[in-house]
Amino acid sequence: MEKEWSESRAGRFALSLQMRLLQQCLAAWPRRGKSLLEVNCGEGLFLSLLWECGFDVTGTELTPALRARAAANAPAGTEVEAAADDHLPFEDNAFDWVVLHVAAADGDGLAASAREALRVAARGLTVTFWNAASLPWLCRRLSGHKTVWPEPAHCWWRVWRLLKAFKTGRLTGLSTLACPIRTWNRQCAAAPCNAWLRGLPVGAWGAIRLDLVPLKPVTPLPLRLGRGRLRRPEPVLECGQKNLVRCHASPDRKSVV
Protein backbone atom coordinates (compact mmCIF):
# COMPACT_ATOMS: atom_id res chain seq x y z
CA MET A 1 0.00 0.00 0.00
CA GLU A 2 2.77 2.47 0.89
CA LYS A 3 4.58 1.95 -2.40
CA GLU A 4 1.31 2.25 -4.33
CA TRP A 5 0.52 5.48 -2.50
CA SER A 6 3.97 7.05 -2.91
CA GLU A 7 3.91 6.39 -6.67
CA SER A 8 0.44 7.85 -7.22
CA ARG A 9 -0.08 11.44 -8.33
CA ALA A 10 -1.79 12.38 -5.07
CA GLY A 11 0.94 10.62 -3.09
CA ARG A 12 3.74 12.53 -4.80
CA PHE A 13 1.98 15.83 -4.25
CA ALA A 14 1.32 14.98 -0.61
CA LEU A 15 4.94 13.98 -0.05
CA SER A 16 6.19 17.36 -1.24
CA LEU A 17 4.02 19.16 1.31
CA GLN A 18 4.87 16.65 4.03
CA MET A 19 8.59 17.29 3.51
CA ARG A 20 8.04 21.03 3.65
CA LEU A 21 6.02 20.75 6.85
CA LEU A 22 8.47 18.38 8.55
CA GLN A 23 11.36 20.68 7.70
CA GLN A 24 9.47 23.62 9.21
CA CYS A 25 8.55 21.62 12.31
CA LEU A 26 12.15 20.59 12.99
CA ALA A 27 13.64 24.01 12.24
CA ALA A 28 13.80 24.85 15.95
CA TRP A 29 16.05 21.88 16.71
CA PRO A 30 19.86 22.30 16.69
CA ARG A 31 21.31 19.77 14.28
CA ARG A 32 25.10 20.09 14.00
CA GLY A 33 26.56 17.03 15.71
CA LYS A 34 23.10 15.95 16.92
CA SER A 35 21.69 12.46 16.42
CA LEU A 36 18.16 11.80 15.16
CA LEU A 37 16.21 8.54 15.07
CA GLU A 38 13.42 8.12 12.52
CA VAL A 39 11.02 5.41 13.68
CA ASN A 40 8.93 3.63 11.01
CA CYS A 41 10.95 5.21 8.22
CA GLY A 42 9.19 3.05 5.62
CA GLU A 43 10.98 3.07 2.30
CA GLY A 44 13.14 5.99 3.43
CA LEU A 45 11.28 8.90 1.84
CA PHE A 46 12.39 11.32 4.57
CA LEU A 47 15.89 9.99 5.26
CA SER A 48 17.62 12.22 2.70
CA LEU A 49 15.72 15.29 3.88
CA LEU A 50 16.70 14.72 7.50
CA TRP A 51 20.32 14.07 6.52
CA GLU A 52 20.43 17.21 4.38
CA CYS A 53 19.09 19.19 7.35
CA GLY A 54 22.32 18.30 9.17
CA PHE A 55 21.26 15.53 11.55
CA ASP A 56 23.17 12.29 12.11
CA VAL A 57 20.28 10.04 11.05
CA THR A 58 19.38 6.48 11.98
CA GLY A 59 16.20 4.86 10.68
CA THR A 60 14.20 1.86 11.90
CA GLU A 61 11.67 -0.21 9.94
CA LEU A 62 10.08 -3.54 10.76
CA THR A 63 8.92 -4.64 7.27
CA PRO A 64 11.86 -6.28 5.43
CA ALA A 65 10.86 -5.10 1.95
CA LEU A 66 10.48 -1.49 3.04
CA ARG A 67 13.67 -1.67 5.08
CA ALA A 68 15.61 -2.90 2.03
CA ARG A 69 14.33 0.01 -0.08
CA ALA A 70 15.13 2.46 2.72
CA ALA A 71 18.69 1.16 2.98
CA ALA A 72 19.08 1.51 -0.79
CA ASN A 73 17.77 5.10 -0.75
CA ALA A 74 19.59 6.19 2.41
CA PRO A 75 22.47 8.69 2.14
CA ALA A 76 25.99 7.49 2.89
CA GLY A 77 26.58 7.10 6.61
CA THR A 78 22.88 6.68 7.42
CA GLU A 79 21.95 3.43 9.17
CA VAL A 80 18.64 1.59 8.75
CA GLU A 81 17.92 -1.07 11.37
CA ALA A 82 15.16 -3.59 11.98
CA ALA A 83 12.97 -2.67 14.95
CA ALA A 84 9.35 -2.52 16.04
CA ASP A 85 8.15 0.90 17.09
CA ASP A 86 7.06 -0.38 20.52
CA HIS A 87 10.38 -2.10 21.26
CA LEU A 88 13.40 -0.12 20.09
CA PRO A 89 16.83 -1.76 20.60
CA PHE A 90 18.42 1.38 22.05
CA GLU A 91 19.28 2.63 25.51
CA ASP A 92 17.44 5.42 27.27
CA ASN A 93 18.20 8.88 25.85
CA ALA A 94 20.27 7.28 23.08
CA PHE A 95 19.36 10.01 20.54
CA ASP A 96 19.08 13.76 20.81
CA TRP A 97 15.92 13.84 18.69
CA VAL A 98 13.34 11.28 17.58
CA VAL A 99 10.77 11.43 14.76
CA LEU A 100 7.98 8.86 15.06
CA HIS A 101 5.75 8.18 12.06
CA VAL A 102 2.66 6.58 13.59
CA ALA A 103 1.89 3.17 12.08
CA ALA A 104 -0.29 1.71 14.85
CA ALA A 105 -3.95 1.26 14.00
CA ASP A 106 -5.36 1.58 17.53
CA GLY A 107 -4.93 3.78 20.57
CA ASP A 108 -2.98 1.23 22.59
CA GLY A 109 -0.42 0.80 19.83
CA LEU A 110 -0.14 4.56 19.43
CA ALA A 111 0.51 5.01 23.16
CA ALA A 112 3.09 2.19 23.26
CA SER A 113 5.06 3.54 20.30
CA ALA A 114 4.97 7.09 21.66
CA ARG A 115 6.25 5.99 25.08
CA GLU A 116 9.06 3.99 23.50
CA ALA A 117 10.07 6.88 21.24
CA LEU A 118 10.09 9.22 24.22
CA ARG A 119 12.27 6.78 26.16
CA VAL A 120 15.12 6.98 23.65
CA ALA A 121 14.77 10.75 23.07
CA ALA A 122 17.01 13.01 25.12
CA ARG A 123 15.91 16.43 23.89
CA GLY A 124 12.77 16.21 21.78
CA LEU A 125 10.20 14.09 19.95
CA THR A 126 8.07 14.76 16.87
CA VAL A 127 5.08 12.55 16.08
CA THR A 128 3.65 12.56 12.54
CA PHE A 129 0.34 10.95 11.63
CA TRP A 130 -2.63 11.03 9.27
CA ASN A 131 -5.38 13.10 10.86
CA ALA A 132 -8.85 11.56 11.19
CA ALA A 133 -10.23 14.96 12.28
CA SER A 134 -9.64 16.58 8.90
CA LEU A 135 -11.76 17.49 5.89
CA PRO A 136 -9.94 15.10 3.50
CA TRP A 137 -10.56 12.17 5.86
CA LEU A 138 -14.23 13.12 6.24
CA CYS A 139 -14.66 13.34 2.47
CA ARG A 140 -13.07 9.92 2.11
CA ARG A 141 -15.48 8.46 4.67
CA LEU A 142 -18.46 9.97 2.89
CA SER A 143 -17.28 8.60 -0.47
CA GLY A 144 -17.21 5.07 0.91
CA HIS A 145 -13.38 4.81 1.14
CA LYS A 146 -13.03 4.86 -2.64
CA THR A 147 -9.82 6.87 -2.52
CA VAL A 148 -6.49 5.38 -1.45
CA TRP A 149 -5.25 6.37 2.00
CA PRO A 150 -1.64 5.53 2.96
CA GLU A 151 -1.81 4.65 6.67
CA PRO A 152 -4.20 4.36 9.63
CA ALA A 153 -5.49 7.72 10.80
CA HIS A 154 -5.80 9.05 14.34
CA CYS A 155 -7.72 12.00 15.69
CA TRP A 156 -5.48 15.02 16.22
CA TRP A 157 -6.72 15.61 19.75
CA ARG A 158 -6.07 12.01 20.78
CA VAL A 159 -2.41 12.36 19.81
CA TRP A 160 -2.18 15.81 21.42
CA ARG A 161 -3.69 14.62 24.73
CA LEU A 162 -1.43 11.57 24.74
CA LEU A 163 1.74 13.66 24.41
CA LYS A 164 0.48 16.28 26.85
CA ALA A 165 -0.16 13.58 29.45
CA PHE A 166 3.58 12.81 29.53
CA LYS A 167 4.09 16.23 31.19
CA THR A 168 7.67 16.43 29.98
CA GLY A 169 7.77 19.56 27.85
CA ARG A 170 6.08 22.03 25.50
CA LEU A 171 3.95 21.00 22.51
CA THR A 172 3.86 22.60 19.06
CA GLY A 173 1.52 21.40 16.31
CA LEU A 174 1.42 21.88 12.52
CA SER A 175 -0.62 20.31 9.73
CA THR A 176 -0.87 20.34 5.94
CA LEU A 177 -3.09 19.03 3.12
CA ALA A 178 -6.25 20.72 4.35
CA CYS A 179 -8.28 20.28 1.14
CA PRO A 180 -9.98 17.15 -0.28
CA ILE A 181 -7.79 14.55 -2.01
CA ARG A 182 -9.02 15.52 -5.47
CA THR A 183 -7.09 18.78 -5.04
CA TRP A 184 -3.81 16.96 -4.31
CA ASN A 185 -2.62 17.61 -7.83
CA ARG A 186 -0.26 20.33 -9.03
CA GLN A 187 -2.50 20.89 -12.04
CA CYS A 188 -5.49 21.69 -9.82
CA ALA A 189 -6.23 25.39 -9.33
CA ALA A 190 -7.01 24.80 -5.65
CA ALA A 191 -3.77 22.87 -4.98
CA PRO A 192 -1.98 25.81 -3.26
CA CYS A 193 -4.75 25.93 -0.64
CA ASN A 194 -3.43 22.67 0.83
CA ALA A 195 -0.45 24.53 2.28
CA TRP A 196 -2.61 27.07 4.11
CA LEU A 197 -3.67 26.96 7.77
CA ARG A 198 -0.52 25.16 8.89
CA GLY A 199 -0.95 26.31 12.44
CA LEU A 200 -4.39 24.72 12.77
CA PRO A 201 -5.14 21.00 13.27
CA VAL A 202 -7.29 20.74 10.13
CA GLY A 203 -4.84 19.17 7.65
CA ALA A 204 -4.81 15.53 6.63
CA TRP A 205 -1.20 15.11 7.80
CA GLY A 206 -0.07 16.47 11.14
CA ALA A 207 3.15 16.82 13.10
CA ILE A 208 3.23 17.48 16.84
CA ARG A 209 6.61 18.40 18.34
CA LEU A 210 7.39 17.80 22.00
CA ASP A 211 10.38 19.81 23.23
CA LEU A 212 11.57 18.21 26.44
CA VAL A 213 12.16 20.43 29.46
CA PRO A 214 15.89 21.21 29.68
CA LEU A 215 17.85 20.47 32.82
CA LYS A 216 17.92 23.34 35.29
CA PRO A 217 21.16 25.32 35.14
CA VAL A 218 23.43 25.09 38.15
CA THR A 219 23.35 28.29 40.20
CA PRO A 220 26.84 29.57 41.14
CA LEU A 221 27.70 29.04 44.80
CA PRO A 222 27.97 32.76 45.78
CA LEU A 223 24.44 33.36 44.49
CA ARG A 224 23.04 30.47 46.49
CA LEU A 225 24.68 31.59 49.76
CA GLY A 226 23.26 34.43 51.77
CA ARG A 227 25.33 37.55 52.34
CA GLY A 228 25.78 36.66 56.01
CA ARG A 229 27.17 33.21 55.21
CA LEU A 230 30.10 34.44 53.10
CA ARG A 231 33.45 34.51 54.90
CA ARG A 232 34.88 37.91 55.76
CA PRO A 233 38.22 38.93 54.23
CA GLU A 234 41.22 37.66 56.16
CA PRO A 235 44.73 39.17 56.54
CA VAL A 236 47.03 38.43 53.64
CA LEU A 237 50.47 36.98 54.40
CA GLU A 238 53.32 38.05 52.15
CA CYS A 239 56.92 36.81 52.13
CA GLY A 240 59.56 39.44 51.45
CA GLN A 241 63.10 39.05 50.24
CA LYS A 242 64.44 38.91 53.83
CA ASN A 243 61.92 36.22 54.81
CA LEU A 244 59.94 38.77 56.79
CA VAL A 245 56.27 38.28 57.23
CA ARG A 246 54.07 41.35 56.96
CA CYS A 247 50.60 41.30 58.35
CA HIS A 248 48.16 43.77 56.79
CA ALA A 249 45.74 44.61 59.54
CA SER A 250 42.77 46.89 59.50
CA PRO A 251 43.34 50.66 59.00
CA ASP A 252 42.89 51.49 62.71
CA ARG A 253 45.80 49.27 63.68
CA LYS A 254 49.53 49.67 62.98
CA SER A 255 51.20 47.28 60.59
CA VAL A 256 53.51 44.86 62.32
CA VAL A 257 56.84 43.92 60.67
PDB file of all heavy atoms in Angstrom, residues 10 33 52 86 111-112 120 148 189 219 233:
ATOM      1  N   ALA A  10      -1.445  11.742  -6.343  1.00  0.00           N
ATOM      2  CA  ALA A  10      -1.790  12.382  -5.073  1.00  0.00           C
ATOM      3  C   ALA A  10      -0.701  12.145  -4.026  1.00  0.00           C
ATOM      4  O   ALA A  10      -0.393  13.026  -3.220  1.00  0.00           O
ATOM      5  CB  ALA A  10      -3.138  11.854  -4.571  1.00  0.00           C
ATOM      6  N   GLY A  33      26.049  17.993  14.738  1.00  0.00           N
ATOM      7  CA  GLY A  33      26.556  17.034  15.706  1.00  0.00           C
ATOM      8  C   GLY A  33      25.478  16.375  16.540  1.00  0.00           C
ATOM      9  O   GLY A  33      25.792  15.712  17.528  1.00  0.00           O
ATOM     10  N   GLU A  52      20.070  15.921   4.960  1.00  0.00           N
ATOM     11  CA  GLU A  52      20.433  17.212   4.384  1.00  0.00           C
ATOM     12  C   GLU A  52      20.206  18.356   5.359  1.00  0.00           C
ATOM     13  O   GLU A  52      20.858  19.403   5.255  1.00  0.00           O
ATOM     14  CB  GLU A  52      19.629  17.448   3.106  1.00  0.00           C
ATOM     15  CG  GLU A  52      20.025  16.527   1.951  1.00  0.00           C
ATOM     16  CD  GLU A  52      19.077  16.636   0.777  1.00  0.00           C
ATOM     17  OE1 GLU A  52      18.100  17.419   0.877  1.00  0.00           O
ATOM     18  OE2 GLU A  52      19.303  15.950  -0.235  1.00  0.00           O
ATOM     19  N   ASP A  86       7.337  -0.276  19.087  1.00  0.00           N
ATOM     20  CA  ASP A  86       7.058  -0.379  20.518  1.00  0.00           C
ATOM     21  C   ASP A  86       8.152  -1.120  21.280  1.00  0.00           C
ATOM     22  O   ASP A  86       8.002  -1.414  22.469  1.00  0.00           O
ATOM     23  CB  ASP A  86       5.718  -1.064  20.759  1.00  0.00           C
ATOM     24  CG  ASP A  86       5.659  -2.466  20.166  1.00  0.00           C
ATOM     25  OD1 ASP A  86       6.596  -2.835  19.410  1.00  0.00           O
ATOM     26  OD2 ASP A  86       4.690  -3.191  20.441  1.00  0.00           O
ATOM     27  N   ALA A 111      -0.065   4.651  21.859  1.00  0.00           N
ATOM     28  CA  ALA A 111       0.514   5.009  23.156  1.00  0.00           C
ATOM     29  C   ALA A 111       1.821   4.265  23.396  1.00  0.00           C
ATOM     30  O   ALA A 111       2.797   4.844  23.899  1.00  0.00           O
ATOM     31  CB  ALA A 111      -0.480   4.711  24.278  1.00  0.00           C
ATOM     32  N   ALA A 112       1.871   2.978  23.041  1.00  0.00           N
ATOM     33  CA  ALA A 112       3.088   2.187  23.258  1.00  0.00           C
ATOM     34  C   ALA A 112       4.244   2.713  22.421  1.00  0.00           C
ATOM     35  O   ALA A 112       5.375   2.833  22.904  1.00  0.00           O
ATOM     36  CB  ALA A 112       2.818   0.722  22.939  1.00  0.00           C
ATOM     37  N   VAL A 120      13.803   6.895  24.268  1.00  0.00           N
ATOM     38  CA  VAL A 120      15.124   6.985  23.648  1.00  0.00           C
ATOM     39  C   VAL A 120      15.459   8.413  23.229  1.00  0.00           C
ATOM     40  O   VAL A 120      16.547   8.662  22.700  1.00  0.00           O
ATOM     41  CB  VAL A 120      15.231   6.038  22.437  1.00  0.00           C
ATOM     42  CG1 VAL A 120      14.982   4.600  22.862  1.00  0.00           C
ATOM     43  CG2 VAL A 120      14.257   6.434  21.339  1.00  0.00           C
ATOM     44  N   VAL A 148      -7.572   6.068  -2.168  1.00  0.00           N
ATOM     45  CA  VAL A 148      -6.487   5.384  -1.450  1.00  0.00           C
ATOM     46  C   VAL A 148      -6.002   6.265  -0.309  1.00  0.00           C
ATOM     47  O   VAL A 148      -5.834   7.478  -0.460  1.00  0.00           O
ATOM     48  CB  VAL A 148      -5.335   5.059  -2.413  1.00  0.00           C
ATOM     49  CG1 VAL A 148      -4.186   4.392  -1.668  1.00  0.00           C
ATOM     50  CG2 VAL A 148      -5.830   4.165  -3.546  1.00  0.00           C
ATOM     51  N   ALA A 189      -6.312  23.973  -9.691  1.00  0.00           N
ATOM     52  CA  ALA A 189      -6.231  25.388  -9.328  1.00  0.00           C
ATOM     53  C   ALA A 189      -6.263  25.590  -7.821  1.00  0.00           C
ATOM     54  O   ALA A 189      -5.716  26.571  -7.303  1.00  0.00           O
ATOM     55  CB  ALA A 189      -7.386  26.146  -9.982  1.00  0.00           C
ATOM     56  N   THR A 219      23.156  26.936  39.703  1.00  0.00           N
ATOM     57  CA  THR A 219      23.355  28.286  40.204  1.00  0.00           C
ATOM     58  C   THR A 219      24.728  28.397  40.859  1.00  0.00           C
ATOM     59  O   THR A 219      25.100  27.548  41.672  1.00  0.00           O
ATOM     60  CB  THR A 219      22.281  28.637  41.241  1.00  0.00           C
ATOM     61  OG1 THR A 219      20.999  28.444  40.647  1.00  0.00           O
ATOM     62  CG2 THR A 219      22.423  30.081  41.705  1.00  0.00           C
ATOM     63  N   PRO A 233      36.827  38.916  54.673  1.00  0.00           N
ATOM     64  CA  PRO A 233      38.224  38.926  54.226  1.00  0.00           C
ATOM     65  C   PRO A 233      39.175  38.706  55.387  1.00  0.00           C
ATOM     66  O   PRO A 233      38.966  39.204  56.497  1.00  0.00           O
ATOM     67  CB  PRO A 233      38.383  40.331  53.628  1.00  0.00           C
ATOM     68  CG  PRO A 233      36.989  40.766  53.295  1.00  0.00           C
ATOM     69  CD  PRO A 233      36.112  40.140  54.315  1.00  0.00           C
TER      70      PRO A 233
END
